[in-house]
Short mmCIF file of all heavy atoms in Angstrom, two decimals:
data_model
loop_
_atom_site.label_atom_id
_atom_site.label_comp_id
_atom_site.label_asym_id
_atom_site.label_seq_id
_atom_site.Cartn_x
_atom_site.Cartn_y
_atom_site.Cartn_z
N PRO A 1634 -3.16 -3.03 -36.64
CA PRO A 1634 -3.52 -1.90 -35.87
C PRO A 1634 -2.76 -1.85 -34.49
O PRO A 1634 -2.40 -2.95 -33.97
CB PRO A 1634 -4.92 -2.16 -35.49
CG PRO A 1634 -5.09 -3.68 -35.64
CD PRO A 1634 -4.19 -4.07 -36.65
N LEU A 1678 -19.46 -13.47 -30.71
CA LEU A 1678 -19.29 -14.07 -32.10
C LEU A 1678 -18.56 -13.06 -32.96
O LEU A 1678 -17.66 -13.53 -33.69
CB LEU A 1678 -20.66 -14.39 -32.63
CG LEU A 1678 -20.64 -15.37 -33.89
CD1 LEU A 1678 -20.09 -16.69 -33.45
CD2 LEU A 1678 -22.14 -15.49 -34.45
N ARG A 1679 -18.91 -11.80 -32.90
CA ARG A 1679 -18.14 -10.79 -33.70
C ARG A 1679 -16.70 -10.72 -33.31
O ARG A 1679 -15.82 -10.65 -34.27
CB ARG A 1679 -18.80 -9.48 -33.51
CG ARG A 1679 -18.16 -8.25 -34.29
CD ARG A 1679 -19.07 -7.05 -34.25
NE ARG A 1679 -18.34 -6.03 -35.01
CZ ARG A 1679 -19.04 -4.96 -35.61
NH1 ARG A 1679 -20.35 -4.92 -35.55
NH2 ARG A 1679 -18.43 -4.03 -36.20
N GLU A 1680 -16.40 -10.79 -32.03
CA GLU A 1680 -15.02 -10.73 -31.57
C GLU A 1680 -14.27 -11.97 -32.08
O GLU A 1680 -13.05 -11.98 -32.43
CB GLU A 1680 -14.89 -10.61 -30.13
CG GLU A 1680 -15.32 -9.25 -29.59
CD GLU A 1680 -15.51 -9.18 -28.12
OE1 GLU A 1680 -15.97 -10.24 -27.45
OE2 GLU A 1680 -15.32 -8.00 -27.52
N MET A 1681 -15.01 -13.13 -32.11
CA MET A 1681 -14.36 -14.42 -32.57
C MET A 1681 -13.93 -14.18 -34.15
O MET A 1681 -12.83 -14.61 -34.48
CB MET A 1681 -15.31 -15.50 -32.55
CG MET A 1681 -14.70 -16.94 -32.87
SD MET A 1681 -16.03 -18.23 -33.10
CE MET A 1681 -16.62 -17.81 -34.64
N VAL A 1682 -14.80 -13.67 -34.94
CA VAL A 1682 -14.49 -13.44 -36.34
C VAL A 1682 -13.42 -12.47 -36.39
O VAL A 1682 -12.56 -12.69 -37.27
CB VAL A 1682 -15.80 -13.00 -37.01
CG1 VAL A 1682 -15.48 -12.83 -38.59
CG2 VAL A 1682 -16.96 -14.06 -36.99
N ALA A 1683 -13.39 -11.39 -35.66
CA ALA A 1683 -12.31 -10.46 -35.78
C ALA A 1683 -11.00 -11.04 -35.48
O ALA A 1683 -10.02 -10.85 -36.18
CB ALA A 1683 -12.63 -9.25 -34.81
N LEU A 1684 -10.92 -11.89 -34.42
CA LEU A 1684 -9.67 -12.55 -33.94
C LEU A 1684 -9.24 -13.56 -34.97
O LEU A 1684 -8.07 -13.83 -35.19
CB LEU A 1684 -9.73 -13.13 -32.59
CG LEU A 1684 -9.76 -12.18 -31.39
CD1 LEU A 1684 -10.13 -12.91 -30.20
CD2 LEU A 1684 -8.52 -11.43 -31.33
N SER A 1685 -10.22 -14.21 -35.72
CA SER A 1685 -9.93 -15.10 -36.75
C SER A 1685 -9.11 -14.42 -37.87
O SER A 1685 -8.36 -15.10 -38.61
CB SER A 1685 -11.22 -15.79 -37.29
OG SER A 1685 -11.85 -16.54 -36.31
N GLY A 1686 -9.29 -13.16 -38.02
CA GLY A 1686 -8.54 -12.45 -38.98
C GLY A 1686 -7.05 -12.36 -38.80
O GLY A 1686 -6.33 -11.90 -39.67
N ALA A 1687 -6.62 -12.91 -37.72
CA ALA A 1687 -5.19 -13.09 -37.50
C ALA A 1687 -4.58 -13.98 -38.51
O ALA A 1687 -3.43 -13.95 -38.81
CB ALA A 1687 -4.82 -13.65 -36.22
N HIS A 1688 -5.42 -14.77 -39.23
CA HIS A 1688 -4.97 -15.67 -40.31
C HIS A 1688 -4.67 -14.90 -41.57
O HIS A 1688 -4.39 -15.51 -42.58
CB HIS A 1688 -5.98 -16.70 -40.55
CG HIS A 1688 -5.90 -17.80 -39.59
ND1 HIS A 1688 -6.78 -18.96 -39.65
CD2 HIS A 1688 -5.15 -18.03 -38.46
CE1 HIS A 1688 -6.50 -19.82 -38.68
NE2 HIS A 1688 -5.50 -19.17 -37.94
N THR A 1689 -4.73 -13.62 -41.46
CA THR A 1689 -4.23 -12.77 -42.59
C THR A 1689 -2.75 -12.82 -42.86
O THR A 1689 -2.13 -12.42 -43.78
CB THR A 1689 -4.76 -11.31 -42.53
OG1 THR A 1689 -4.42 -10.62 -43.77
CG2 THR A 1689 -3.96 -10.62 -41.36
N ILE A 1690 -2.00 -13.38 -41.78
CA ILE A 1690 -0.56 -13.57 -41.87
C ILE A 1690 -0.36 -14.98 -41.41
O ILE A 1690 -1.15 -15.63 -40.74
CB ILE A 1690 0.21 -12.61 -40.99
CG1 ILE A 1690 -0.33 -12.54 -39.57
CG2 ILE A 1690 0.11 -11.15 -41.58
CD1 ILE A 1690 0.50 -11.66 -38.65
N ASN A 1736 -1.68 -18.85 -45.06
CA ASN A 1736 -3.12 -18.72 -44.64
C ASN A 1736 -3.79 -17.75 -45.67
O ASN A 1736 -4.96 -17.87 -45.96
CB ASN A 1736 -3.21 -18.17 -43.25
CG ASN A 1736 -2.81 -19.27 -42.19
OD1 ASN A 1736 -2.96 -20.43 -42.42
ND2 ASN A 1736 -2.22 -18.75 -41.08
N ASP A 1737 -3.11 -16.70 -46.00
CA ASP A 1737 -3.56 -15.74 -46.95
C ASP A 1737 -2.69 -15.73 -48.21
O ASP A 1737 -1.49 -15.27 -48.19
CB ASP A 1737 -3.56 -14.31 -46.40
CG ASP A 1737 -3.75 -13.16 -47.27
OD1 ASP A 1737 -4.10 -13.48 -48.51
OD2 ASP A 1737 -3.75 -11.97 -46.86
N VAL A 1738 -3.18 -16.35 -49.33
CA VAL A 1738 -2.39 -16.54 -50.45
C VAL A 1738 -2.06 -15.26 -51.13
O VAL A 1738 -1.11 -15.23 -52.02
CB VAL A 1738 -3.00 -17.63 -51.39
CG1 VAL A 1738 -4.27 -17.05 -52.03
CG2 VAL A 1738 -2.09 -18.12 -52.34
N MET A 1739 -2.83 -14.24 -50.90
CA MET A 1739 -2.73 -13.05 -51.75
C MET A 1739 -1.63 -12.06 -51.16
O MET A 1739 -0.88 -11.60 -51.81
CB MET A 1739 -4.08 -12.28 -51.85
CG MET A 1739 -5.19 -13.19 -52.49
SD MET A 1739 -4.88 -13.84 -54.13
CE MET A 1739 -4.97 -12.33 -55.06
N THR A 1740 -1.75 -11.78 -49.87
CA THR A 1740 -0.84 -10.84 -49.20
C THR A 1740 -0.27 -11.46 -47.92
O THR A 1740 -0.57 -11.03 -46.74
CB THR A 1740 -1.45 -9.51 -48.91
OG1 THR A 1740 -2.65 -9.71 -48.10
CG2 THR A 1740 -1.89 -8.81 -50.21
N LYS A 1743 1.53 -9.30 -45.01
CA LYS A 1743 0.88 -8.09 -44.65
C LYS A 1743 -0.39 -8.20 -43.84
O LYS A 1743 -1.27 -9.06 -44.29
CB LYS A 1743 0.56 -7.26 -45.96
CG LYS A 1743 -0.02 -5.85 -45.64
CD LYS A 1743 -0.25 -5.12 -46.91
CE LYS A 1743 -0.94 -3.72 -46.61
NZ LYS A 1743 -1.43 -2.98 -47.89
N PHE A 1744 -0.57 -7.57 -42.80
CA PHE A 1744 -1.63 -7.60 -41.94
C PHE A 1744 -2.67 -6.67 -42.47
O PHE A 1744 -2.68 -5.42 -42.37
CB PHE A 1744 -1.38 -7.26 -40.44
CG PHE A 1744 -2.45 -7.75 -39.55
CD1 PHE A 1744 -2.26 -8.81 -38.69
CD2 PHE A 1744 -3.60 -7.03 -39.38
CE1 PHE A 1744 -3.19 -9.20 -37.89
CE2 PHE A 1744 -4.66 -7.40 -38.53
CZ PHE A 1744 -4.49 -8.49 -37.80
N ASP A 1745 -3.73 -7.24 -43.12
CA ASP A 1745 -4.88 -6.46 -43.74
C ASP A 1745 -6.11 -7.19 -43.73
O ASP A 1745 -6.25 -8.18 -42.98
CB ASP A 1745 -4.40 -6.10 -45.22
CG ASP A 1745 -4.02 -7.35 -45.99
OD1 ASP A 1745 -4.44 -8.43 -45.67
OD2 ASP A 1745 -3.29 -7.17 -47.05
N ASN A 1746 -7.04 -6.75 -44.44
CA ASN A 1746 -8.38 -7.49 -44.40
C ASN A 1746 -8.51 -8.46 -45.64
O ASN A 1746 -9.60 -8.91 -45.97
CB ASN A 1746 -9.53 -6.49 -44.50
CG ASN A 1746 -9.59 -5.74 -45.77
OD1 ASN A 1746 -8.63 -5.57 -46.56
ND2 ASN A 1746 -10.82 -5.22 -46.08
N MET A 1747 -7.43 -8.85 -46.33
CA MET A 1747 -7.45 -9.73 -47.44
C MET A 1747 -7.93 -11.10 -47.10
O MET A 1747 -8.61 -11.83 -47.88
CB MET A 1747 -6.04 -9.78 -48.03
CG MET A 1747 -5.93 -10.61 -49.36
SD MET A 1747 -7.04 -9.98 -50.70
CE MET A 1747 -6.12 -8.46 -51.09
N TYR A 1748 -7.71 -11.62 -45.81
CA TYR A 1748 -8.17 -12.82 -45.38
C TYR A 1748 -9.73 -12.95 -45.62
O TYR A 1748 -10.17 -13.97 -46.06
CB TYR A 1748 -7.91 -12.95 -43.91
CG TYR A 1748 -8.62 -14.06 -43.19
CD1 TYR A 1748 -8.24 -15.44 -43.24
CD2 TYR A 1748 -9.67 -13.84 -42.31
CE1 TYR A 1748 -8.71 -16.41 -42.56
CE2 TYR A 1748 -10.29 -14.84 -41.69
CZ TYR A 1748 -9.83 -16.14 -41.82
OH TYR A 1748 -10.57 -17.11 -41.06
N PHE A 1749 -10.42 -11.90 -45.28
CA PHE A 1749 -11.86 -11.84 -45.42
C PHE A 1749 -12.29 -11.80 -46.83
O PHE A 1749 -13.25 -12.48 -47.32
CB PHE A 1749 -12.54 -10.76 -44.57
CG PHE A 1749 -12.15 -10.88 -43.19
CD1 PHE A 1749 -11.27 -10.11 -42.51
CD2 PHE A 1749 -12.89 -11.84 -42.32
CE1 PHE A 1749 -11.06 -10.22 -41.07
CE2 PHE A 1749 -12.67 -11.98 -41.03
CZ PHE A 1749 -11.70 -11.12 -40.43
N LYS A 1750 -11.59 -11.03 -47.68
CA LYS A 1750 -11.83 -11.06 -49.15
C LYS A 1750 -11.62 -12.42 -49.68
O LYS A 1750 -12.40 -12.87 -50.61
CB LYS A 1750 -10.95 -10.03 -49.71
CG LYS A 1750 -11.28 -8.57 -49.41
CD LYS A 1750 -10.25 -7.64 -50.12
CE LYS A 1750 -10.53 -6.21 -49.74
NZ LYS A 1750 -9.71 -5.21 -50.40
N ASN A 1751 -10.61 -13.07 -49.21
CA ASN A 1751 -10.26 -14.48 -49.68
C ASN A 1751 -11.40 -15.49 -49.45
O ASN A 1751 -11.75 -16.28 -50.30
CB ASN A 1751 -8.99 -14.95 -49.16
CG ASN A 1751 -7.81 -14.31 -49.69
OD1 ASN A 1751 -7.87 -13.66 -50.69
ND2 ASN A 1751 -6.65 -14.41 -48.85
N LEU A 1752 -11.97 -15.34 -48.20
CA LEU A 1752 -13.05 -16.26 -47.91
C LEU A 1752 -14.24 -16.16 -48.87
O LEU A 1752 -14.81 -17.21 -49.18
CB LEU A 1752 -13.48 -15.92 -46.42
CG LEU A 1752 -12.56 -16.17 -45.37
CD1 LEU A 1752 -13.20 -15.92 -43.94
CD2 LEU A 1752 -11.96 -17.59 -45.33
N LYS A 1753 -14.52 -15.01 -49.31
CA LYS A 1753 -15.64 -14.77 -50.32
C LYS A 1753 -15.32 -15.41 -51.69
O LYS A 1753 -16.17 -15.53 -52.56
CB LYS A 1753 -16.00 -13.33 -50.40
CG LYS A 1753 -16.52 -12.83 -49.08
CD LYS A 1753 -16.55 -11.25 -49.09
CE LYS A 1753 -17.53 -10.57 -49.96
NZ LYS A 1753 -18.98 -10.96 -49.55
N ARG A 1754 -14.02 -15.66 -51.89
CA ARG A 1754 -13.57 -16.14 -53.25
C ARG A 1754 -13.27 -17.66 -53.23
O ARG A 1754 -12.71 -18.19 -54.11
CB ARG A 1754 -12.23 -15.37 -53.67
CG ARG A 1754 -12.45 -13.89 -53.85
CD ARG A 1754 -11.06 -13.19 -53.95
NE ARG A 1754 -11.22 -11.74 -54.05
CZ ARG A 1754 -10.12 -10.99 -53.79
NH1 ARG A 1754 -9.05 -11.48 -53.48
NH2 ARG A 1754 -10.28 -9.66 -53.96
N GLY A 1755 -13.59 -18.33 -52.03
CA GLY A 1755 -13.15 -19.71 -51.97
C GLY A 1755 -11.75 -19.98 -51.75
O GLY A 1755 -11.21 -21.03 -51.95
N LEU A 1756 -11.07 -18.99 -51.12
CA LEU A 1756 -9.60 -19.07 -50.84
C LEU A 1756 -9.23 -19.18 -49.44
O LEU A 1756 -8.16 -18.99 -48.97
CB LEU A 1756 -8.92 -17.84 -51.41
CG LEU A 1756 -9.08 -17.60 -52.97
CD1 LEU A 1756 -8.35 -16.24 -53.35
CD2 LEU A 1756 -8.37 -18.77 -53.77
N GLY A 1757 -10.26 -19.64 -48.61
CA GLY A 1757 -10.01 -19.92 -47.19
C GLY A 1757 -9.27 -21.29 -47.13
O GLY A 1757 -9.55 -22.21 -47.77
N LEU A 1758 -8.12 -21.27 -46.42
CA LEU A 1758 -7.25 -22.44 -46.26
C LEU A 1758 -7.79 -23.56 -45.42
O LEU A 1758 -7.95 -24.70 -45.87
CB LEU A 1758 -5.80 -22.00 -45.82
CG LEU A 1758 -4.75 -23.12 -45.81
CD1 LEU A 1758 -4.58 -23.66 -47.28
CD2 LEU A 1758 -3.50 -22.58 -45.24
N SER A 1761 -12.15 -24.37 -40.81
CA SER A 1761 -12.52 -23.36 -39.85
C SER A 1761 -12.49 -21.96 -40.34
O SER A 1761 -13.18 -21.11 -39.85
CB SER A 1761 -11.78 -23.53 -38.53
OG SER A 1761 -10.35 -23.38 -38.92
N ASP A 1762 -11.71 -21.73 -41.40
CA ASP A 1762 -11.76 -20.42 -42.13
C ASP A 1762 -12.99 -20.37 -43.01
O ASP A 1762 -13.78 -19.44 -42.90
CB ASP A 1762 -10.45 -20.21 -42.92
CG ASP A 1762 -9.23 -20.10 -42.15
OD1 ASP A 1762 -9.38 -19.51 -41.06
OD2 ASP A 1762 -8.21 -20.49 -42.63
N HIS A 1763 -13.08 -21.37 -43.84
CA HIS A 1763 -14.21 -21.36 -44.89
C HIS A 1763 -15.55 -21.36 -44.20
O HIS A 1763 -16.50 -20.80 -44.72
CB HIS A 1763 -14.03 -22.57 -45.73
CG HIS A 1763 -15.08 -22.68 -46.85
ND1 HIS A 1763 -15.13 -21.73 -47.80
CD2 HIS A 1763 -16.08 -23.66 -47.06
CE1 HIS A 1763 -16.15 -22.07 -48.67
NE2 HIS A 1763 -16.76 -23.22 -48.25
N ILE A 1764 -15.74 -22.05 -43.06
CA ILE A 1764 -16.96 -22.05 -42.41
C ILE A 1764 -17.51 -20.76 -42.02
O ILE A 1764 -18.76 -20.54 -41.83
CB ILE A 1764 -16.94 -23.13 -41.28
CG1 ILE A 1764 -18.31 -23.58 -40.98
CG2 ILE A 1764 -16.32 -22.47 -40.01
CD1 ILE A 1764 -18.38 -24.80 -39.90
N LEU A 1765 -16.62 -19.77 -41.81
CA LEU A 1765 -17.05 -18.44 -41.41
C LEU A 1765 -17.95 -17.73 -42.42
O LEU A 1765 -18.87 -16.95 -42.15
CB LEU A 1765 -15.81 -17.56 -41.03
CG LEU A 1765 -15.00 -18.00 -39.85
CD1 LEU A 1765 -13.88 -17.01 -39.70
CD2 LEU A 1765 -15.80 -18.06 -38.60
N ILE A 1766 -17.66 -18.02 -43.70
CA ILE A 1766 -18.42 -17.46 -44.82
C ILE A 1766 -19.76 -18.35 -45.15
O ILE A 1766 -20.66 -17.85 -45.63
CB ILE A 1766 -17.55 -17.33 -46.12
CG1 ILE A 1766 -18.34 -16.36 -47.14
CG2 ILE A 1766 -17.24 -18.64 -46.75
CD1 ILE A 1766 -18.50 -14.93 -46.71
N LYS A 1767 -19.66 -19.62 -44.72
CA LYS A 1767 -20.82 -20.46 -44.97
C LYS A 1767 -21.86 -20.35 -43.88
O LYS A 1767 -23.07 -20.41 -44.20
CB LYS A 1767 -20.40 -21.95 -45.01
CG LYS A 1767 -19.60 -22.32 -46.14
CD LYS A 1767 -19.26 -23.84 -46.15
CE LYS A 1767 -20.54 -24.61 -46.26
NZ LYS A 1767 -20.26 -26.12 -46.33
N THR A 1771 -21.99 -16.02 -38.84
CA THR A 1771 -20.79 -15.31 -39.02
C THR A 1771 -20.45 -14.64 -40.32
O THR A 1771 -19.71 -13.69 -40.43
CB THR A 1771 -19.61 -16.33 -38.76
OG1 THR A 1771 -19.82 -17.47 -39.62
CG2 THR A 1771 -19.54 -16.80 -37.27
N ARG A 1772 -21.33 -14.95 -41.45
CA ARG A 1772 -21.13 -14.36 -42.68
C ARG A 1772 -21.22 -12.87 -42.61
O ARG A 1772 -20.46 -12.14 -43.35
CB ARG A 1772 -22.17 -14.94 -43.66
CG ARG A 1772 -21.83 -14.54 -45.13
CD ARG A 1772 -22.85 -14.90 -46.06
NE ARG A 1772 -23.08 -16.40 -46.09
CZ ARG A 1772 -24.26 -16.94 -45.70
NH1 ARG A 1772 -25.24 -16.31 -45.31
NH2 ARG A 1772 -24.27 -18.33 -45.72
N PRO A 1773 -22.20 -12.23 -41.87
CA PRO A 1773 -22.22 -10.78 -41.94
C PRO A 1773 -21.01 -10.08 -41.50
O PRO A 1773 -20.74 -8.99 -41.99
CB PRO A 1773 -23.52 -10.47 -40.99
CG PRO A 1773 -24.31 -11.71 -40.96
CD PRO A 1773 -23.32 -12.84 -41.19
N PHE A 1774 -20.31 -10.68 -40.57
CA PHE A 1774 -19.05 -10.08 -40.03
C PHE A 1774 -17.93 -10.20 -41.06
O PHE A 1774 -17.20 -9.34 -41.24
CB PHE A 1774 -18.65 -10.61 -38.74
CG PHE A 1774 -19.72 -10.60 -37.67
CD1 PHE A 1774 -20.17 -11.66 -37.01
CD2 PHE A 1774 -20.28 -9.35 -37.28
CE1 PHE A 1774 -21.25 -11.66 -36.10
CE2 PHE A 1774 -21.20 -9.25 -36.38
CZ PHE A 1774 -21.77 -10.35 -35.70
N VAL A 1775 -17.96 -11.34 -41.79
CA VAL A 1775 -17.05 -11.59 -42.87
C VAL A 1775 -17.24 -10.53 -43.94
O VAL A 1775 -16.25 -9.91 -44.48
CB VAL A 1775 -17.05 -13.04 -43.47
CG1 VAL A 1775 -16.19 -13.08 -44.65
CG2 VAL A 1775 -16.71 -13.97 -42.45
N ASP A 1776 -18.55 -10.30 -44.32
CA ASP A 1776 -18.85 -9.37 -45.36
C ASP A 1776 -18.40 -7.97 -44.93
O ASP A 1776 -17.85 -7.14 -45.74
CB ASP A 1776 -20.29 -9.30 -45.56
CG ASP A 1776 -20.91 -10.63 -46.30
OD1 ASP A 1776 -20.00 -11.27 -46.97
OD2 ASP A 1776 -22.02 -10.94 -46.18
N LEU A 1777 -18.63 -7.52 -43.65
CA LEU A 1777 -18.30 -6.32 -43.23
C LEU A 1777 -16.68 -6.08 -43.19
O LEU A 1777 -16.30 -5.05 -43.79
CB LEU A 1777 -18.77 -6.15 -41.72
CG LEU A 1777 -18.16 -4.88 -40.98
CD1 LEU A 1777 -18.73 -3.64 -41.60
CD2 LEU A 1777 -18.61 -4.88 -39.48
N TYR A 1778 -16.01 -7.00 -42.67
CA TYR A 1778 -14.50 -6.81 -42.62
C TYR A 1778 -13.91 -6.87 -44.06
O TYR A 1778 -12.81 -6.31 -44.23
CB TYR A 1778 -14.01 -7.88 -41.71
CG TYR A 1778 -14.36 -7.79 -40.30
CD1 TYR A 1778 -14.53 -9.02 -39.55
CD2 TYR A 1778 -14.75 -6.58 -39.77
CE1 TYR A 1778 -14.92 -8.87 -38.22
CE2 TYR A 1778 -15.03 -6.63 -38.44
CZ TYR A 1778 -15.21 -7.66 -37.73
OH TYR A 1778 -15.62 -7.58 -36.26
N ALA A 1779 -14.57 -7.61 -45.04
CA ALA A 1779 -14.05 -7.74 -46.34
C ALA A 1779 -14.13 -6.34 -46.99
O ALA A 1779 -13.26 -6.07 -47.91
CB ALA A 1779 -14.73 -8.76 -47.17
N THR A 1780 -15.13 -5.58 -46.70
CA THR A 1780 -15.41 -4.37 -47.45
C THR A 1780 -14.89 -3.21 -46.62
O THR A 1780 -14.69 -2.06 -47.13
CB THR A 1780 -16.90 -4.08 -47.63
OG1 THR A 1780 -17.59 -4.19 -46.46
CG2 THR A 1780 -17.36 -5.18 -48.68
N ASP A 1781 -14.61 -3.33 -45.29
CA ASP A 1781 -14.23 -2.19 -44.46
C ASP A 1781 -13.11 -2.55 -43.55
O ASP A 1781 -13.29 -3.05 -42.40
CB ASP A 1781 -15.55 -1.76 -43.63
CG ASP A 1781 -15.28 -0.47 -42.80
OD1 ASP A 1781 -14.20 -0.02 -42.73
OD2 ASP A 1781 -16.27 0.05 -42.34
N GLU A 1782 -11.90 -2.34 -44.04
CA GLU A 1782 -10.71 -2.72 -43.32
C GLU A 1782 -10.63 -1.92 -41.96
O GLU A 1782 -10.14 -2.48 -40.95
CB GLU A 1782 -9.41 -2.46 -44.13
CG GLU A 1782 -8.19 -2.85 -43.48
CD GLU A 1782 -6.90 -2.78 -44.32
OE1 GLU A 1782 -6.41 -1.66 -44.48
OE2 GLU A 1782 -6.52 -3.80 -44.87
N LYS A 1783 -11.10 -0.70 -41.94
CA LYS A 1783 -11.09 0.11 -40.70
C LYS A 1783 -11.82 -0.55 -39.64
O LYS A 1783 -11.44 -0.63 -38.45
CB LYS A 1783 -11.58 1.52 -40.99
CG LYS A 1783 -11.51 2.46 -39.79
CD LYS A 1783 -11.93 3.85 -40.25
CE LYS A 1783 -11.83 4.86 -39.09
NZ LYS A 1783 -12.87 4.67 -38.11
N ALA A 1784 -13.11 -1.08 -39.96
CA ALA A 1784 -13.85 -1.81 -39.01
C ALA A 1784 -13.23 -2.98 -38.45
O ALA A 1784 -13.26 -3.28 -37.23
CB ALA A 1784 -15.23 -2.10 -39.68
N PHE A 1785 -12.52 -3.76 -39.34
CA PHE A 1785 -11.78 -4.86 -38.90
C PHE A 1785 -10.71 -4.53 -38.00
O PHE A 1785 -10.51 -5.18 -36.84
CB PHE A 1785 -11.23 -5.68 -40.12
CG PHE A 1785 -10.15 -6.72 -39.76
CD1 PHE A 1785 -10.38 -7.61 -38.78
CD2 PHE A 1785 -9.00 -6.68 -40.52
CE1 PHE A 1785 -9.34 -8.55 -38.49
CE2 PHE A 1785 -7.97 -7.62 -40.21
CZ PHE A 1785 -8.20 -8.49 -39.11
N PHE A 1786 -9.91 -3.57 -38.33
CA PHE A 1786 -8.76 -3.09 -37.44
C PHE A 1786 -9.29 -2.67 -36.00
O PHE A 1786 -8.75 -3.04 -35.07
CB PHE A 1786 -7.98 -2.02 -38.16
CG PHE A 1786 -6.96 -2.50 -39.07
CD1 PHE A 1786 -7.08 -3.72 -39.68
CD2 PHE A 1786 -5.84 -1.76 -39.36
CE1 PHE A 1786 -6.10 -4.21 -40.60
CE2 PHE A 1786 -4.86 -2.26 -40.26
CZ PHE A 1786 -5.00 -3.47 -40.86
N GLU A 1787 -10.32 -1.89 -36.10
CA GLU A 1787 -10.89 -1.46 -34.79
C GLU A 1787 -11.33 -2.58 -33.94
O GLU A 1787 -11.13 -2.66 -32.71
CB GLU A 1787 -12.04 -0.45 -35.04
CG GLU A 1787 -11.59 0.95 -35.58
CD GLU A 1787 -12.75 1.84 -35.92
OE1 GLU A 1787 -13.92 1.39 -35.87
OE2 GLU A 1787 -12.47 3.02 -36.23
N ASP A 1788 -12.15 -3.52 -34.55
CA ASP A 1788 -12.64 -4.68 -33.77
C ASP A 1788 -11.53 -5.60 -33.36
O ASP A 1788 -11.49 -6.13 -32.17
CB ASP A 1788 -13.64 -5.46 -34.58
CG ASP A 1788 -14.93 -4.64 -34.63
OD1 ASP A 1788 -15.09 -3.62 -34.06
OD2 ASP A 1788 -15.87 -5.23 -35.34
N PHE A 1789 -10.55 -5.84 -34.24
CA PHE A 1789 -9.38 -6.59 -33.88
C PHE A 1789 -8.64 -6.12 -32.76
O PHE A 1789 -8.24 -6.77 -31.75
CB PHE A 1789 -8.42 -6.88 -35.07
CG PHE A 1789 -7.28 -7.72 -34.83
CD1 PHE A 1789 -7.42 -9.14 -34.92
CD2 PHE A 1789 -6.01 -7.28 -34.49
CE1 PHE A 1789 -6.35 -9.94 -34.71
CE2 PHE A 1789 -4.98 -8.06 -34.31
CZ PHE A 1789 -5.13 -9.47 -34.33
N ALA A 1790 -8.25 -4.75 -32.65
CA ALA A 1790 -7.52 -4.10 -31.65
C ALA A 1790 -8.27 -4.26 -30.36
O ALA A 1790 -7.66 -4.53 -29.28
CB ALA A 1790 -7.34 -2.59 -31.99
N ALA A 1792 -10.51 -6.51 -29.47
CA ALA A 1792 -10.53 -7.90 -29.14
C ALA A 1792 -9.08 -8.42 -28.61
O ALA A 1792 -9.01 -9.15 -27.64
CB ALA A 1792 -10.89 -8.82 -30.29
#
Side-chain angles (χ1 to χ4, degrees):
L1678 197 63
R1679 179 169 179 153
E1680 289 169 328
M1681 182 193 82
V1682 178
L1684 288 173
S1685 297
H1688 281 181
T1689 190
I1690 55 175
N1736 293 324
D1737 171 2
V1738 69
M1739 304 302 288
T1740 57
K1743 182 183 179 184
F1744 196 103
D1745 53 21
N1746 67 336
M1747 187 60 72
Y1748 166 80
F1749 297 104
K1750 293 179 180 180
N1751 289 341
L1752 295 184
K1753 295 168 69 69
R1754 301 167 182 160
L1756 298 176
L1758 185 63
S1761 55
D1762 294 325
H1763 182 62
I1764 202 171
L1765 296 179
I1766 193 66
K1767 289 184 63 177
T1771 50
R1772 187 186 305 116
F1774 303 123
V1775 173
D1776 290 338
L1777 170 64
Y1778 297 148
T1780 57
D1781 189 344
E1782 186 175 76
K1783 184 172 182 288
F1785 166 49
F1786 275 25
E1787 289 175 350
D1788 285 359
F1789 182 83

